[in-house]
Amino acid sequence: MGLKRKDLLSLTVLSADDIMLILDTADSFKEVSGREIKKVPALRGKTVVNLFFEPSTRTRTSFELAAKRLSADVINFSPSSSSVVKGETLLDTARNIEAMQADIIVLRHSSAGAAETLARGVKSSVINAGDGWHEHPTQALLDLYTIRGRGMGFAGLRVAIVGDVAHSRVARSNIFALTKLGAEVRVVGPPTMMPLHIDQLGVRVYHNLDEALRGVHVIMMLRLQLERQGRALFPTIREYAWQFGLTSERVKLAEPGAIVMHPGPINRGVEIAPDVADSISSVILDQVANGVAVRMGILYLMSGTG
Amino acid sequence: MTNQPPAGKREERVVMDAGDIARALTRIAHEILERNKGIKDLALVGIRTGGVHLAHRLVRRIHEIEGTQIPIGELDITLYRDDLSLRKDQPILRRTSVPFKISDLKVVLVDDVLFTGRTIRAAMDGLIDLGRPAEIQLAVLVDRGHRQLPIKANYIGKNIPTSREEAIHVSLEENGEEDRVVILKA
Amino acid sequence: MAILIQGGHVIDPGRFNGVADVLIQDGKILAIGPTLAAPADATVIRAVGQLVVPGFVDLHVHFREPGFEYKETIQSGTAAAVAGGFTSVCAMPNTNPVNDNQSITEFMIDRARAAGNAHLYPIGAITKGSEGKELAEIGDLRRAGCVAISDDGRPVMNSLVMRRAMEYARAFDVPVVDHCEDLHLSEGGCMNEGLVSTELGLPGIPSAAEDVMVARNVSLAELTGARLHLAHISTAGSVRMVREAKSRGLKVTAEACPHHFTLTEELTRGYNTHAKMNPPLRTWQDVQAIKEGLRDGTIDVIATDHAPHATQEKQQEFTEAPFGIVGLETALSLTLALVEEGVLTIESAVEKLATAPAKAFSLDAGTLAVGAPADVAIVDPHAQWEVDPSRFRSKSRNTPFAGWKVKGRVTTTIVAGRVVFELEQPGRQA
């Protein structure tokens, strides 16, 4: 039983059964999160290190809460570029942390592949909490958990992922997992935000949001990195917003009962209209709540000594 | 922790048949009611997986006797196991479902086999995380001895002396088997 | 001091191909022929079953001195060269300071002379500090010993500056070498842009970043009449454009690196930093095009782009790790694999490693003609060996070929009539 792997780096290597095991395990922790005493002793004596090279308050907090609710000891380590000794590599930093007997290292890094590089170099389990544009496996798993929690199955599910797919680790992880589970995935955005040969990953590419939304069950909005304006990906936020911003009118194009997701933090009025973000179709806050349960599940499954 | 599934050709000896199990559960139901002077503030919680079906049967018998349904919950003790940090591979979790407030209730934990007592220790910790019961009692179908913790059942279907090498298997209709308890020789 | 190489299969592309003895005296090739008599003081090298070929000429190495001696020095770099059969190497100017003036050029040549391994020919910078703005003193660089000019990894983006460099270089008949990369198109990229970069989430370098600069450079060569040498071409598009340029009689030569005809972008999976080089490893189709270019003569030269980096630099995250791999000690085996595959004949392989590069930069090298400098490599084409970076002469170990079982190995290297390298062979009597 169990995941039988040291690390969680990418969803490409997980089987559909592995993914379902994680979601089922998260169910148990959802129950724990609903208790008055939201704590179980499962990871007593284990040490979880949150190693965040990129600031991300919400992901770090979610992991921290998850680890603490499992009774693990949690250390937050956020080496800013100034405090990392010059010349010290990621591996050096991690080995130092490992010497403190960390059982699990949760890594957030701006460089794609950093988690894999780290995992090769340390004996601790490594959980990828986002590496560059590559993957953000726990975010996708909590998205899947949220979808399933709304009573939706994955086979035949139509999902539109909208925005800057090229630079989105959330998009990649979701694409890998959803296609594996038999969902129909549509990616939507201007061609400048679609990576080369994305269609070969088994998704359909759209450049028109209205067309893409027709008949979908799930609308997954990506955060627009506003600083990319002026880098020739799109001319202005204004033009982007009218082309790819989700309005309540557009939500009506989707299947009745379709849900709207966003990994946060949202740019209100840019990729998502404020009334949509706050509407009943929005499950954005469920995603946040589910994040803790899913991460508890992952930490639990990764905490074997194997 | 208490029992193992029957293995291929191991020699087995039936120690309780369907009739024995039924009579034992009926007796336990009566004992529970007698000890607690009825069903006031009483709840049953079955320990996953072996105790859950037995707890349901006990609740049905109590309903037959008293005409009232008492609250019933299901407890997964995995997260409270004392060997969790030593395992290579983490066991699969089953959901805990105790859909009522246990604070100030008299909670009877129900399990199939009482052996080392470690499961019951974990179950008590799990239960207390859900609230502060007025009392925790323990009902088991079989007590096979070999306790490693100072734990004692309040209600016992049958005491069955065993050697440590033997295994006890409780099979139940709810799992598509016939009701019986067997000892599997080492 | 004489050396007689007996009984080897002598290949001097375009001149000689057969079993013969080679007699070397006073640093020159004295004679080639059947059963030559050895002078009394001659060292005799038995080469039966081996190839006797002109020492290889590498138009593209980075020896890191001055400035980055922890990666490589001229001493260690030239030692690696002769271990790989290279007797002449052309060192790129991206040292610190940049080789944009006579004193750096002279320093490099002096260092190589002191090391006493291979001949070293510096390549001077095109622009001062390789900043792409003002022309370096190309005439002075030429006079000091530079054999070509290039801003290599920091290619001249301003097309007017490049035009002027090509025009100016004509006066000295010095080839202009360009690393073809549009730095805007490639900005931030660290591998080939394609399906693999999409899956790995790594910023990509499109083929077009190379192709547009090849197109520009070919146009400017046509405009100016300059000798253009295209460094390490890696794309099918580049091959196509070079082929077309040559068919129109332009003075364009091109080189390809062993890794670009051996490996594809697939090697990048797992974020293997030894698969990170610039130009990046491309697709299977590109590899096929490079091989076809080598086969049909579009690509004249095999060069290594030997780019040593320290282990800790390559242990960084993929996006942070520097581009480049060492190549001098594996180039021969990888080229011979093309012979095995039928892409090249053994003679054309030697031509691309020795004769053609010497010709491209007008070096007095790359031939066994009587009277030529006695730069010779003796190669056992059947020797099987496993690439073990810990045994490299280079200071650096950054190769994707570690653990590869390859065939063909240099057993002896002679530079200017002096044995500078002999393979230690277990079991062989000294």
Side-chain angles (χ1 to χ4, degrees):
Chain A
M1 294 314 159
L3 272 185
K4 297 204 187 308
R5 45 184 75 247
K6 172 179 157 284
D7 310 299
L8 179 62
L9 308 176
S10 157
L11 294 184
T12 54
V13 293
L14 293 192
S15 67
D17 284 347
D18 289 337
I19 293 173
M20 285 308 168
L21 171 65
I22 292 171
L23 303 190
D24 290 345
T25 305
D27 263 338
S28 292
F29 292 108
K30 184 92 192 256
E31 181 266 321
V32 172
S33 299
R35 296 180 190 172
E36 214 151 301
I37 298 172
K38 300 172 178 56
K39 198 166 183 131
V40 290
L43 263 64
R44 214 156 35 109
K46 304 265 181 187
T47 303
V48 175
V49 175
N50 285 325
L51 179 56
F52 276 56
F53 285 86
E54 256 187 356
S56 166
T57 309
R58 60 180 64 208
T59 303
R60 188 188 49 70
T61 310
S62 181
F63 266 108
E64 184 174 351
L65 203 52
K68 284 182 168 166
R69 286 183 179 175
L70 290 166
S71 306
D73 295 314
V74 186
I75 299 167
N76 290 315
F77 196 71
S78 304
S80 66
S81 47
S82 58
S83 71
V84 173
V85 185
K86 216 171 166 55
E88 190 180 64
T89 63
L90 167 66
L91 227 47
D92 290 328
T93 310
R95 283 189 183 135
N96 275 304
I97 287 167
E98 195 176 34
M100 302 170 194
Q101 315 231 302
D103 297 287
I104 299 177
I105 300 175
V106 178
L107 179 73
R108 162 64 68 89
H109 200 285
S110 59
S111 182
E116 193 160 335
T117 304
L118 178 67
R120 268 200 299 269
V122 298
K123 287 190 283 294
S124 317
S125 288
V126 175
I127 296 175
N128 181 3
D131 61 331
W133 310 338
H134 177 225
E135 280 216 49
H136 194 351
T138 62
Q139 174 70 43
L141 288 165
L142 76 87
D143 290 344
L144 297 179
Y145 186 76
T146 304
I147 292 170
R148 195 176 75 160
R150 286 292 169 125
M152 298 178 179
F154 296 110
L157 186 76
R158 287 188 291 276
V159 182
I161 302 178
V162 187
D164 188 356
V165 174
H167 302 99
S168 172
R169 50 188 167 222
V170 175
R172 275 180 183 75
S173 284
N174 269 302
I175 288 168
F176 295 142
L178 284 165
T179 52
K180 190 167 295 191
L181 295 173
E184 178 195 317
V185 180
R186 305 172 179 183
V187 292
V188 200
T192 47
M193 292 179 172
M194 291 297 141
L196 225 49
H197 307 314
I198 181 81
D199 54 308
Q200 289 181 38
L201 297 182
V203 302
R204 290 171 64 183
V205 182
Y206 290 78
H207 304 306
N208 178 304
L209 182 57
D210 292 357
E211 242 172 69
L213 290 182
R214 253 170 223 127
V216 299
H217 306 98
V218 177
I219 307 169
M220 211 177 260
M221 302 305 294
L222 300 174
R223 177 178 164 77
L224 184 71
Q225 305 285 318
L226 300 179
E227 60 274 17
R228 294 195 195 282
Q229 184 183 219
R231 308 221 46 188
L233 288 177
F234 58 96
T236 58
I237 289 172
R238 179 178 162 277
E239 175 154 312
Y240 181 87
W242 78 252
Q243 275 201 92
F244 295 103
L246 189 65
T247 58
S248 47
E249 284 308 304
R250 280 175 162 155
V251 174
K252 287 178 193 148
L253 297 168
E255 282 286 289
I259 57 171
V260 176
M261 311 181 81
H262 193 298
I266 61 176
N267 298 306
R268 278 173 191 265
V270 181
E271 71 261 8
I272 189 161
D275 61 325
V276 175
D278 301 329
S279 71
I280 51 158
S281 19
S282 164
V283 297
I284 297 171
L285 292 176
D286 293 9
Q287 286 173 277
V288 178
N290 289 339
V292 177
V294 168
R295 290 180 175 116
M296 285 175 84
I298 291 163
L299 288 169
Y300 167 74
L301 289 169
M302 304 296 294
S303 66
T305 57
Chain B
M1 276 195 283
T2 49
N3 57 354
Q4 296 164 3
K9 293 254 190 285
R10 290 172 77 181
E11 193 192 325
E12 53 176 60
R13 182 164 55 90
V14 178
V15 287
M16 290 179 89
D17 62 16
D20 296 334
I21 291 173
R23 282 187 291 278
L25 289 176
T26 305
R27 177 172 49 77
I28 290 172
H30 282 287
E31 285 175 7
I32 290 172
L33 291 171
E34 194 178 331
R35 183 189 166 95
N36 293 290
K37 301 185 170 62
I39 56 164
K40 185 167 182 298
D41 298 333
L42 190 63
L44 258 58
V45 170
I47 297 173
R48 283 187 183 275
T49 52
V52 168
H53 297 313
L54 295 174
H56 279 279
R57 290 192 195 186
L58 284 171
V59 165
R60 270 202 303 280
R61 278 173 170 72
I62 290 169
H63 182 254
E64 282 160 17
I65 300 162
E66 297 285 317
T68 310
Q69 177 83 23
I70 63 167
I72 179 165
E74 301 173 356
L75 186 66
D76 181 56
I77 57 101
T78 309
L79 296 170
Y80 296 86
R81 289 169 64 142
D82 58 10
D83 60 347
L84 211 49
S85 64
L86 310 172
R87 293 176 59 99
K88 276 187 107 58
D89 222 3
Q90 299 298 44
I92 291 200
L93 299 185
R94 325 246 166 225
R95 229 178 119 95
T96 284
S97 166
V98 180
F100 50 89
K101 291 260 177 228
I102 63 163
S103 290
D104 302 327
L105 294 186
K106 290 179 278 187
V107 177
V108 182
L109 282 171
V110 182
D111 204 0
D112 52 0
V113 181
L114 177 58
F115 185 22
T116 61
R118 289 177 189 269
T119 300
I120 306 305
R121 196 281 308 161
M124 289 193 288
D125 281 357
L127 208 53
I128 286 165
D129 271 1
L130 300 178
R132 185 175 183 279
E135 210 177 302
I136 298 177
Q137 301 167 16
L138 175 62
V140 297
L141 183 62
V142 174
D143 182 349
R144 61 168 293 193
H146 304 288
R147 212 77 75 242
Q148 293 168 351
L149 296 174
I151 279 168
K152 190 166 174 289
N154 305 85
Y155 317 101
I156 300 169
K158 187 172 185 175
N159 281 298
I160 302 177
T162 55
S163 77
R164 277 204 63 94
E165 290 70 38
E166 290 169 328
I168 288 225
H169 179 65
V170 177
S171 56
L172 295 175
E173 276 174 0
E174 289 90 333
N175 297 324
E177 299 172 298
E178 64 177 300
D179 276 3
R180 57 184 203 151
V181 178
V182 298
I183 294 187
L184 302 159
K185 298 283 179 198
Chain C
M1 179 67 191
I3 299 174
L4 180 66
I5 307 167
Q6 281 186 328
H9 180 172
V10 178
I11 299 175
D12 186 9
R15 307 175 65 92
F16 191 94
N17 190 339
V19 173
D21 292 354
V22 176
L23 182 61
I24 293 167
Q25 195 149 30
D26 301 327
K28 307 265 186 221
I29 305 289
L30 190 67
I32 297 185
T35 55
L36 298 176
D41 66 334
T43 307
V44 175
I45 300 173
R46 298 274 300 154
V48 174
Q50 302 203 55
L51 304 174
V52 180
V53 299
F56 307 140
V57 178
D58 193 344
L59 298 187
H60 199 142
V61 301
H62 299 270
F63 279 173
R64 310 302 189 200
E65 189 178 356
F68 308 97
E69 289 82 356
Y70 67 96
K71 299 175 192 248
E72 194 84 285
T73 61
I74 288 171
Q75 157 69 42
S76 63
T78 53
V82 295
F86 290 92
T87 54
S88 299
V89 289
C90 302
M92 282 294 177
N94 62 333
T95 45
N96 185 17
V98 169
N99 181 17
D100 61 1
N101 62 71
Q102 177 196 341
S103 51
I104 304 287
T105 302
E106 284 171 353
F107 165 84
M108 291 167 80
I109 293 171
D110 284 351
R111 278 297 162 111
R113 208 166 275 149
N117 295 313
H119 305 291
L120 181 131
Y121 299 101
I123 297 172
I126 296 175
T127 60
K128 283 179 192 154
S130 286
E131 285 172 355
K133 293 173 192 149
E134 297 169 57
L135 293 186
E137 292 179 335
I138 295 168
D140 217 25
L141 286 166
R142 180 72 173 136
R143 194 174 54 182
C146 284
V147 295
I149 52 168
S150 178
D151 279 349
D152 197 46
R154 298 168 66 188
V156 179
M157 291 303 295
N158 183 321
S159 298
L160 177 61
V161 173
M162 193 59 165
R163 173 194 173 160
R164 296 296 181 224
M166 286 191 185
E167 285 171 340
Y168 192 74
R170 277 190 61 200
F172 307 98
D173 193 31
V174 59
V176 178
V177 182
D178 200 33
H179 162 125
C180 298
E181 177 185 355
D182 182 314
L183 297 176
H184 298 296
L185 279 173
S186 66
E187 189 187 344
C190 56
M191 69 169 293
N192 182 51
E193 185 172 342
L195 179 60
V196 180
S197 69
T198 291
E199 282 183 48
L200 296 183
L202 284 170
I205 301 173
S207 304
E210 177 170 318
D211 296 351
V212 298
M213 293 307 267
V214 170
R216 178 199 74 170
N217 290 333
V218 167
S219 298
L220 292 179
E222 187 166 17
L223 175 68
T224 60
R227 288 168 69 181
L228 171 66
H229 179 75
L230 299 170
H232 47 48
I233 60 172
S234 69
T235 68
S238 296
V239 176
R240 201 164 54 235
M241 285 184 273
V242 173
R243 184 177 290 130
E244 191 266 349
K246 285 191 164 184
S247 75
R248 291 194 291 122
L250 301 182
K251 284 186 277 181
V252 175
T253 51
E255 72 190 30
C257 302
H259 45 271
H260 287 133
F261 60 68
T262 308
L263 305 171
T264 70
E265 60 178 359
E266 291 292 327
L267 194 74
T268 317
R269 290 187 191 278
Y271 302 92
N272 176 2
T273 56
H274 288 147
K276 182 176 178 181
M277 56 279 282
N278 190 4
L281 297 176
R282 304 282 188 186
T283 66
W284 187 85
Q285 285 81 2
D286 292 305
V287 169
Q288 299 313 306
I290 297 289
K291 287 182 185 174
E292 182 52 28
L294 285 163
R295 198 194 60 74
D296 72 7
T298 302
I299 300 170
D300 311 80
V301 170
I302 292 172
T304 65
D305 193 8
H306 180 84
H309 292 292
T311 304
Q312 71 272 14
E313 295 173 307
K314 279 290 195 180
Q315 275 178 347
Q316 297 177 88
E317 304 84 283
F318 193 90
T319 52
E320 305 303 312
F323 291 104
I325 59 169
V326 292
L328 285 165
E329 293 169 79
T330 49
L332 170 68
S333 304
L334 298 169
T335 303
L336 289 177
L338 291 185
V339 175
E340 195 115 306
E341 214 185 306
V343 175
L344 297 178
T345 62
I346 186 77
E347 184 168 337
S348 58
V350 174
E351 187 191 359
K352 287 180 197 302
L353 283 169
T355 319
K359 189 172 159 221
F361 283 10
S362 311
L363 307 179
D364 187 12
T367 176
L368 297 176
V370 170
D375 298 339
V376 183
I378 304 177
V379 172
D380 179 350
H382 306 295
Q384 311 245 14
W385 59 290
E386 184 176 322
V387 178
D388 175 3
S390 70
R391 302 180 72 90
F392 281 171
R393 267 73 170 176
S394 169
K395 258 186 147 175
S396 290
R397 312 271 175 257
N398 51 314
T399 175
F401 300 109
W404 278 43
K405 292 188 174 56
V406 295
K407 219 165 111 179
R409 201 164 197 191
V410 174
T411 57
T412 307
T413 305
I414 297 167
V415 171
R418 210 164 51 82
V419 173
V420 291
F421 171 79
E422 272 184 295
L423 183 66
E424 291 167 41
Q425 282 174 325
R428 199 178 74 165
Q429 298 294 316

